């Protein structure tokens, strides 16, 4: 991992007093602040104090003007009375879930539903999750979670360049994180889950149980420990160098005078770069490592705008992304009046899986479940939660009395069976190709990708395709690609392909 880059990210985050590095990566990699909309109006182009002279002499709007509108961080808590864990009783719970994000709460809810005792540990158990999650509507529909979307769009658009726009007839939605977390907490409470507000700093394993040491001095004993600490990767162990790509994005939920987008469609990717024409420096940087706009228009004057670097190694600096965003918004004539929330997003993508199997069980960010080519994970994690929960329940309740390492190995095997590991290997191959593409190459890639049969591109984005179907996906993508794109895929994809084949051959089923 590029130390300088990580330091920059941590420094930026710490300025907001939000991010404390713990365990593997960081406690949270998003910062989202929220407050009432301010009425003051800002015309970016008119703020002389924030105009800077670029290398080529042209005047560039600094991102400082935009950032001035970012409100003070306000953490919003849900109004729940949580039944708290009583350490004085010395109870050994069946399952301790470390981390109360979507992954952890989903498993806590489902294991407790089966009558097992569960303790959920998180430093802020009532805090509304900070990230602005987007999902394909069919993914949430399949899990009967449509009531947890607060806005849906009938489709999405992709701007490849100024001439080519793709209309994707696949509905997209924004997760109502308050509703989703409330629903999960409600079920946890009625199933008897106990909560402990603290950070776990250490785990000690005995033969049939584990001891979790928290930063408040409390020790919690559990038969099974689930690490759901997201990208902190707090307890789960890795034995290979951690070398992921990084998706980095800066997003604002803003009140604007107007915007040019259709409110019925979300903007999945806007790869246009005409906003950078007058700035050689930014344009050249964007040509090498491109960023795109992701936008969710809620109304004609309220919109979520996120400038995103799909994947880069090391990740792009947030400041770079903010500069590109300011230039884009000005070019699109989007005048930001007020910012309701902002989000700094750093998602590690790809890289090795944790040691398989190991005593601590994992799910979500901690267990390598981010889609290595897209950075998406929420839908996949929520769909995997029943697999983890059912395995824990069935092995703990089995007459044979499976526990300790044996039980964890069985759960890991169900979470990462060989088909899923092969699928992930293919997605990592996709990431390795994307890492090598500049702006023209990226445009050619997505031009071909979104021309595929919906079965293929839907399946790829939603982790529904497995080998050997992924091979047909690859061949189909190749046949849709332009001659130039084919030559590029062959030139830049050969090494990653060889790496993928090597990894596939080496990967053997692990013993449980
Ligand atoms: C800004 C941002 C936007 C994203 N947007 C999307 C999106 O639109 N769609 C999508 O599919 N995916 C998205 N992702 C990716 C992924 O879905 C999210 O990161 C998701 O929140 C991961 O869920 P999780 O439960 O694994 O971890 P988290 O949501 O990160 O939850 C981890 C929890 O563990 C707690 N914790 C950490 N350390 C400890 C400890 N030592 N002891 C106890 N508790 C601890 C944290 O406080 C936190 O509550 C986004 C990620 C980010 C960062």
């Amino acid at each position: 991992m590029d130390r300088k880059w990580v330091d920059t990210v941590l420094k930026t985050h710490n300025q907001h007093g939000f991010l404390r590095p713990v365990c593997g990566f960081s406690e949270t990699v998003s910062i989202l602040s929220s407050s009432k909309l301010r009425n003051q109006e800002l015309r970016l182009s008119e703020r002389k104090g924030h105009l800077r002279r670029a290398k080529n002499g042209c005047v560039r709007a600094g991102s400082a003007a935009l950032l001035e509108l970012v409100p003070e961080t306000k953490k919003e808590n849900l109004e729940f009375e949580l039944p708290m864990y009583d350490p004085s009783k010395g109870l050994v719970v069946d399952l301790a879930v470390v981390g109360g994000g979507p992954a952890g709460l989903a498993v806590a809810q489902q294991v407790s539903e089966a009558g097992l005792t569960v303790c959920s540990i998180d430093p802020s158990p009532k805090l509304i999750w900070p990230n602005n999650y987007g999902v394909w509507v069919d993914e949430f529909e399949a899990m009967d979670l449509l009531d947890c979307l607060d806005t849906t769009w009938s489709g999405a658009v992709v701007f490849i360049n100024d001439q080519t726009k793709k209309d994707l007839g696949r509905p997209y939605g924004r997760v109502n994180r308050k509703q989703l977390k409330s629903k999960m907490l409600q079920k946890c409470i009625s199933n008897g889950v106990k909560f402990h507000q603290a950070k776990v700093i250490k785990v000690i394993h005995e033969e049939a149980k584990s001891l979790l040491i928290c930063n408040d001095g409390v020790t919690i004993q559990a038969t099974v420990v689930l690490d759901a600490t997201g990208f902190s990767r707090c307890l789960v162990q890795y034995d290979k160098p951690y070398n992921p790509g990084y998706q980095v994005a800066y997003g604002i939920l803003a009140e604007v005078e107007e915007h040019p987008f259709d409110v019925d469609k979300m903007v999945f990717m806007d790869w246009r770069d005409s906003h950078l024409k007058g700035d050689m420096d930014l344009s050249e940087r964007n040509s090498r490592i491109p960023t795109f706009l992701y936008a969710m228009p809620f109304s004609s004057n309220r919109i979520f705008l996120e400038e995103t670097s799909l994947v880069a190694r090391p990740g792009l600096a947030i400041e770079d992304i903010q500069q590109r965003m300011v230039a884009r918004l000005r070019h699109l004539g989007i005048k930001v009046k007020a910012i309701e929330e902002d989000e700094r997003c750093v998602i590690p993508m790809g890289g090795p899986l944790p040691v398989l199997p190991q005593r601590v069980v994992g799910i979500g960010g901690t267990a390598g479940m981010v889609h290595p080519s897209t950075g998406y994970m929420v839908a996949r994690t929520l769909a995997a939660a029943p697999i983890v929960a059912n395995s824990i329940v069935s092995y703990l309740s089995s007459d044979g009395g499976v526990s300790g390492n044996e039980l964890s190995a069985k759960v890991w095997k169900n979470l990462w069976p060989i088909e899923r590991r092969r699928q992930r290997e293919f997605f990592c191959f996709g990431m390795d190709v994307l890492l090598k593409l500049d702006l023209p190459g990226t445009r050619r890639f997505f031009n071909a990708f979104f021309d595929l049969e919906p079965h293929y591109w839907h399946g790829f984005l939603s982790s529904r395709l497995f080998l050997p179907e992924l091979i047909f996906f690859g061949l189909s993508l190749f046949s849709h690609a332009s001659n130039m794109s084919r030559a590029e895929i062959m030139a830049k994809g050969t090494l990653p392909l060889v790496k993928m084949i090597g990894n596939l051959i080496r990967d053997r089923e692990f013993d449980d």
Side-chain angles (χ1 to χ4, degrees):
M1 192 189 308
D2 185 298
R3 198 56 240 169
K4 198 165 146 233
W5 176 76
V6 171
D7 284 348
T8 308
V9 173
L10 294 180
K11 205 169 107 213
T12 317
H13 286 208
N14 280 333
Q15 279 165 4
H16 295 252
F18 218 89
L19 190 131
R20 284 145 291 170
V22 289
C23 304
F25 185 65
S26 60
E27 179 177 294
T28 172
V29 282
S30 87
I31 295 178
L32 195 143
S33 30
S34 96
S35 78
K36 289 209 174 87
L37 287 177
R38 283 199 248 151
N39 288 329
Q40 96 198 66
E41 179 176 342
L42 179 90
R43 288 199 163 77
L44 295 172
S45 51
E46 290 171 6
R47 294 291 296 257
K48 287 199 191 113
H50 298 291
L51 294 179
R52 273 193 270 132
R53 217 151 267 285
K55 274 190 194 150
N56 60 356
C58 74
V59 174
R60 181 195 297 166
S63 47
L66 186 71
L67 296 183
E68 262 184 23
L69 284 183
V70 174
E72 287 299 303
T73 301
K74 193 181 135 213
K75 296 180 177 186
E76 203 188 330
N77 275 317
L78 291 168
E79 295 192 356
F80 275 98
E81 265 316 309
L82 296 181
M84 303 309 281
Y85 173 80
D86 181 355
S88 66
K89 291 195 176 146
L91 185 80
V92 181
V93 292
D94 293 316
L95 172 70
V97 180
V98 187
L105 276 193
V107 177
Q109 175 200 319
Q110 291 167 37
V111 169
S112 57
E113 210 147 293
L116 271 60
T117 51
V118 177
C119 178
S120 164
I121 312 161
D122 191 282
S124 313
K126 291 198 238 179
L127 188 73
I128 297 179
W129 296 319
N131 306 338
N132 188 33
Y133 298 125
V135 293
W136 297 102
V137 170
D138 51 84
E139 296 174 329
F140 259 42
E141 194 173 18
M143 295 183 281
D144 203 14
L145 283 175
L146 286 182
D147 60 325
C148 293
L149 297 178
D150 55 23
T151 313
T152 54
W153 293 267
S154 61
V157 288
V158 172
F159 294 92
I160 300 291
N161 53 32
D162 281 313
Q163 290 75 42
T164 313
K165 177 181 159 201
K166 312 245 170 212
D167 266 303
L168 311 180
R170 188 181 184 191
Y172 196 84
R174 184 175 80 147
V175 175
N176 182 337
R177 51 195 192 243
K178 186 172 182 181
Q179 162 75 1
L180 182 60
K181 182 159 181 178
S182 301
K183 198 172 163 176
M184 287 179 171
L185 274 184
Q186 193 68 65
K187 288 193 178 161
C188 283
I189 293 168
S190 50
N191 294 340
V193 173
K194 297 284 187 268
F195 293 83
H196 187 66
Q197 181 161 5
K199 206 185 281 180
V200 170
I201 47 176
K202 195 176 167 188
V203 63
I204 300 165
H205 299 297
E206 294 178 355
E207 193 156 325
K209 65 173 186 196
S210 302
L211 311 179
L212 286 165
I213 319 293
C214 300
N215 64 347
D216 58 357
V218 167
T219 298
I220 294 170
Q221 303 181 65
T223 310
V224 182
V225 172
L226 179 74
D227 183 352
T229 57
F231 304 124
S232 310
R233 303 182 293 123
C234 192
L235 304 173
V236 158
Q237 314 257 313
Y238 284 68
D239 63 354
K240 299 199 181 76
Y242 192 61
N243 61 342
Y246 288 92
Q247 180 165 113
V248 183
Y250 181 69
I252 54 172
L253 175 56
E255 185 195 345
V256 298
E257 281 189 0
E258 56 182 355
H259 63 76
F261 301 116
D262 179 353
V263 290
D264 293 332
K265 304 272 165 71
M266 68 81 62
V267 180
F268 192 62
M269 290 173 161
D270 182 349
W271 292 105
R272 291 176 294 181
D273 67 342
S274 21
H275 55 291
L276 301 175
K277 288 254 157 67
D279 190 326
M280 292 251 297
D281 183 29
L282 266 190
S283 174
E284 195 270 323
R285 273 191 264 152
N286 188 62
S287 183
R288 249 183 315 118
I289 305 180
T291 57
F292 65 90
L293 179 73
Y294 166 95
M296 293 170 158
F298 299 107
S299 67
S300 60
N301 64 355
R302 189 166 176 268
I303 185 165
F304 180 75
L305 299 152
E306 191 155 68
E307 189 74 25
T308 307
S309 158
L310 181 56
V311 61
R313 190 189 285 136
L316 282 194
I318 283 276
E319 294 79 5
D320 185 356
I321 290 181
Q322 285 167 336
Q323 280 175 14
R324 298 181 195 195
M325 182 187 219
V326 168
R328 188 191 294 276
L329 299 193
R330 198 172 42 176
H331 182 79
L332 290 172
I334 300 179
K335 290 168 184 159
V336 177
K337 289 170 76 178
I339 295 177
E340 210 173 313
E341 300 174 347
D342 84 332
E343 169 177 283
R344 286 151 210 259
C345 174
V346 183
I347 304 179
M349 290 159 63
L353 278 175
V355 175
L356 293 179
Q358 61 181 291
R359 178 63 174 269
V360 169
V361 185
I363 188 166
T366 199
M369 292 180 69
V370 172
H371 192 308
S373 326
T374 68
Y376 278 69
M377 188 176 70
V378 160
R380 157 103 171 90
T381 296
L382 294 180
I387 297 172
V388 172
N390 291 339
S391 318
I392 293 173
V393 171
S394 64
Y395 297 127
L396 271 185
S397 325
S398 69
D399 290 340
V402 187
S403 67
N405 288 331
E406 199 187 341
L407 186 146
S408 303
K410 286 180 185 293
V411 179
W412 275 114
K413 199 168 180 177
N414 289 343
L415 180 67
W416 279 116
I418 188 102
E419 318 80 75
R420 278 280 177 205
R421 300 205 302 277
R422 287 180 178 152
Q423 178 194 59
R424 186 177 186 275
E425 202 56 63
F426 191 91
F427 293 161
C428 286
F429 161 63
M431 179 187 90
D432 283 340
V433 173
L434 288 171
L435 277 170
K436 290 176 185 245
L437 297 182
D438 57 8
L439 178 61
T442 305
R443 282 175 167 160
R444 286 190 288 267
F445 180 88
F446 284 110
N447 200 20
F449 181 85
F450 288 113
D451 273 352
L452 293 175
E453 287 291 315
H455 171 74
Y456 281 128
W457 73 259
H458 290 197
F460 183 87
L461 295 184
S462 298
S463 306
R464 287 184 205 138
L465 298 184
F466 294 89
L467 289 176
E469 214 178 359
L470 280 168
I471 308 280
F472 289 108
F473 158 87
L475 292 173
S476 180
L477 186 61
F478 199 71
S479 70
H480 276 80
S482 62
N483 284 339
M484 197 161 173
S485 194
R486 281 182 201 161
E488 192 163 34
I489 292 174
M490 295 221 299
K492 298 188 172 161
T494 305
L495 262 183
L497 184 68
V498 171
K499 183 176 137 195
M500 174 183 77
I501 294 170
N503 287 344
L504 287 174
I505 293 169
R506 270 190 300 278
D507 191 11
R508 295 257 172 269
E509 198 54 281
F510 55 88
D511 294 329
D512 61 9

